[in-house]
Amino acid sequence: MDTAIKFIALDKVSSALDRISEELEVWAPMASKDLKKVVRFEHYRSGRTPELIHQSTLGPKGVLLPQVETLLRFGYLKDAEQPARSCLQLEEPATVPRTLIFGARPCDARGLVVLDLVFSSGRFTDGLYTARRGQTLLATMLCPQED
């Protein structure tokens, strides 16, 4: 595993994410617009400012394990020679994009290691999780205070 330590000034974060998002799918903590102040990881879009002061309410687990996703598509095809007979056609989901999870905390990163133990090791593995995790980079930030 390659590990690189880079620092980005707070006032340069949005421009850096704009450049990175040209090549990678970027997820960052974003504050909700309502009064409840929920902070969760969302797909980054230019012009939005990530919430880097408050810790996320919902961690980055949802990037690797979305609540809803297409596992496969299927359809039935009629046999032209025997109309009473049909074949099952399976289509796998699209390839997994290269992804950056930006602004996670060290405890979030540790949580992903635990998920790796469950979904990517042992006798049975989750192929979709393992593929998504293999294409994911993690950029963490230090916590402002000790716990």
Side-chain angles (χ1 to χ4, degrees):
M1 176 178 5
D2 292 336
T3 304
I5 298 176
K6 304 279 183 186
F7 294 94
I8 302 172
L10 197 55
D11 61 334
K12 306 274 190 223
V13 167
S14 291
S15 62
L17 290 179
D18 288 343
R19 285 193 311 275
I20 294 169
S21 65
E22 292 172 3
E23 296 181 30
L24 303 173
E25 185 175 284
V26 177
W27 291 76
M30 300 290 180
S32 64
K33 294 184 172 130
D34 60 7
L35 298 175
K36 294 181 183 175
K37 270 301 198 187
V38 174
V39 178
R40 65 178 178 201
F41 282 81
E42 295 180 5
H43 190 258
Y44 174 79
R45 286 175 180 70
S46 184
R48 293 196 64 194
T49 304
E51 174 58 63
L52 300 175
I53 303 301
H54 298 96
Q55 186 170 358
S56 62
T57 311
L58 302 170
K61 178 181 94 170
V63 177
L64 298 172
L65 284 171
Q67 289 184 357
V68 178
E69 68 181 318
T70 301
L71 298 177
L72 64 93
R73 296 186 187 278
F74 68 94
Y76 293 100
L77 298 175
K78 292 282 187 180
D79 188 343
E81 295 175 10
Q82 297 177 343
R85 188 174 177 189
S86 61
C87 295
L88 180 65
Q89 179 184 12
L90 296 176
E91 180 183 322
E92 291 190 27
T95 59
V96 177
R98 291 179 45 206
T99 303
L100 170 67
I101 298 174
F102 180 84
R105 305 290 175 141
C107 54
D108 294 327
R110 182 66 183 153
L112 296 181
V113 172
V114 174
L115 288 176
D116 292 346
L117 292 173
V118 174
F119 293 105
S120 293
S121 65
R123 204 167 136 200
F124 302 103
T125 61
D126 183 325
L128 202 51
Y129 173 87
T130 304
R132 192 175 286 124
R133 184 70 168 99
Q135 293 292 324
T136 301
L137 299 170
L138 192 61
T140 60
M141 55 184 284
L142 296 174
C143 294
Q145 64 211 19
E146 269 187 57
D147 286 339

